[in-house]
Amino acid sequence: QQQVKQSPQSLIVQKGGISIINCAYENTAFDYFPWYQQFPGKGPALLIAIRPDVSEKKEGRFTISFNKSAKQFSLHIMDSQPGDSATYFCAASRNFNKFYFGSGTKLNVKP
Amino acid sequence: GAGVSQSPSNKVTEKGKDVELRCDPISGHTALYWYRQSLGQGLEFLIYFQGNSAPDKSGLPSDRFSAERTGGSVSTLTIQRTQQEDSAVYLCASSLVRDRTDTQYFGPGTRLTVL
């Protein structure tokens, strides 16, 4: 059973637009939900993370919205830039042990 | 400071051969993770080391896969009798796991190709 489901698989956004990527999880015991950004040939890098005791976290142009009752969380990239073009992964973990990753979203921001 | 390093960056091997992949975590990081990333796919958890605790090996796909972490630092992932389906990028990450707030830092990965 896939623990974390991510959509869409790919996304094309115009420069200045809002990119939205969604994830849903199964295990209510998860207590840490990070988002990672990966450029070709590089390892993933942490972008922003949230714990289930808050519904939203914002860092610059990046916002996580968290819906505990629906077991869903999403990444919003405001004022998307061509440099944001990358693959984004959501993940979930309990006590920083195993991390379960979504299948990834390839974002293309057109100039 | 230095990040997570992995070696080799690329490895091409023949089916049936054994391979060893190395991970040097960030100094002082107590947790170390191995993941596998197949082409265009997400990351698949393989194994997790935390301090002196027994590792969580529940993600290893078969008994051909094993990993060690010596002295709480360097880790080696060994794949015996490699198969073509083992072809993937193998990623290592480390974290401090202090107050459960620390970040996983990933290495650049080792691209394994089994011919």
Side-chain angles (χ1 to χ4, degrees):
Chain A
Q1 183 185 23
Q2 196 176 357
Q3 295 277 350
V4 178
K5 295 180 181 178
Q6 182 172 347
S7 62
Q9 189 174 14
S10 63
L11 183 61
I12 299 174
V13 173
Q14 290 296 126
K15 178 182 175 182
I18 302 173
S19 304
I20 301 174
I21 304 170
N22 301 298
C23 281
Y25 63 96
E26 292 294 326
N27 190 344
T28 55
F30 289 145
D31 59 5
Y32 181 69
F33 301 89
W35 284 91
Y36 290 86
Q37 180 187 57
Q38 185 178 32
F39 293 104
K42 304 289 186 182
L46 180 69
L47 196 59
I48 187 172
I50 198 168
R51 291 198 172 274
D53 52 347
V54 296
S55 60
E56 186 175 280
K57 183 173 181 180
K58 184 176 180 180
E59 290 183 0
R61 295 185 295 110
F62 301 93
T63 299
I64 299 179
S65 296
F66 187 84
N67 186 330
K68 189 173 181 178
S69 61
K71 295 190 289 184
Q72 295 176 345
F73 58 111
S74 60
L75 176 69
H76 296 234
I77 305 174
M78 312 299 286
D79 186 27
S80 299
Q81 300 297 312
D84 296 331
S85 296
T87 300
Y88 293 81
F89 293 96
C90 62
S93 172
R94 179 173 182 261
N95 290 334
F96 264 72
N97 294 328
K98 280 174 150 177
F99 278 76
Y100 296 90
F101 281 77
S103 54
T105 296
K106 189 170 184 178
L107 172 65
N108 184 8
V109 181
K110 292 200 173 291
Chain B
V4 178
S5 61
Q6 292 186 244
S7 61
S9 55
N10 280 285
K11 176 72 176 178
V12 180
T13 190
E14 294 180 347
K15 177 182 173 181
K17 300 280 189 183
D18 297 352
V19 295
E20 284 190 352
L21 312 179
R22 177 186 169 106
C23 172
D24 284 84
I26 293 173
S27 178
H29 278 192
T30 56
L32 187 146
Y33 309 79
W34 281 99
Y35 296 90
R36 177 167 70 176
Q37 185 174 28
S38 301
L39 187 63
Q41 300 297 312
L43 280 70
E44 175 190 4
F45 167 84
L46 296 177
I47 189 169
Y48 162 63
F49 297 90
Q50 169 55 24
N52 295 321
S53 302
D56 180 344
K57 303 179 181 180
S58 60
L60 295 177
S62 76
D63 58 8
R64 296 187 295 106
F65 288 73
S66 62
E68 290 185 341
R69 189 177 185 192
T70 54
S73 181
V74 172
S75 178
T76 303
L77 177 69
T78 301
I79 308 173
Q80 295 179 311
R81 305 181 302 282
T82 52
Q83 304 294 312
Q84 288 183 332
E85 60 263 29
D86 299 334
S87 295
V89 175
Y90 289 82
L91 290 160
C92 173
S94 72
S95 69
L96 191 53
V97 196
R98 178 182 55 202
D99 299 328
R100 300 185 294 140
T101 60
D102 279 292
T103 303
Q104 275 189 95
Y105 294 89
F106 281 84
T110 293
R111 182 175 296 279
L112 175 66
T113 304
V114 182
L115 301 177

